[in-house]
Amino acid sequence: MSATQSGPQVSGSGSGSGSGGGNGDDGSKIRKFEAVIIVLLGMIAGILAGIGSRTLDHASWFEAISTGVVVGIGLPTFIIMIIRYIRNQS
């Protein structure tokens, strides 16, 4: 069991820029509670964007749903990219 645990630690300490880094490289990884908050924020923003598109632009249901999906996926992706960029600078 110790051989299995030492494998990721050796490869993780050698690769500093990979997403599968070791446990000591917590500064560049997104934590679970941050990821949950970001995903919930994306869902809320997507719903609000869809509702706003439907009511303000008088868009069809398909357009409103597609707008909400694009915002719901794009916003969390953008936030995660910004966080990872800032953490990799230090």
Side-chain angles (χ1 to χ4, degrees):
M1 187 164 168
S2 64
T4 305
Q5 291 177 352
S6 66
Q9 291 174 352
V10 171
S11 65
S13 64
S15 62
S17 63
S19 62
N23 292 335
D25 197 19
D26 289 332
S28 64
K29 293 174 66 176
I30 302 295
R31 294 176 190 93
K32 286 184 183 179
F33 69 93
E34 290 174 342
V36 169
I37 291 172
I38 292 170
V39 168
L40 288 176
L41 180 68
M43 289 174 56
I44 292 169
I47 290 171
L48 291 177
I51 291 172
S53 173
R54 177 81 174 138
T55 57
L56 297 176
D57 293 340
H58 302 290
S60 67
W61 283 101
F62 178 76
E63 292 172 342
I65 291 172
S66 63
T67 300
V69 168
V70 167
V71 170
I73 292 173
L75 183 66
T77 304
F78 181 72
I79 292 172
I80 288 173
M81 286 173 41
I82 294 295
I83 289 174
R84 292 184 78 183
Y85 175 77
I86 290 171
R87 287 185 180 168
N88 284 334
Q89 291 299 312
S90 57

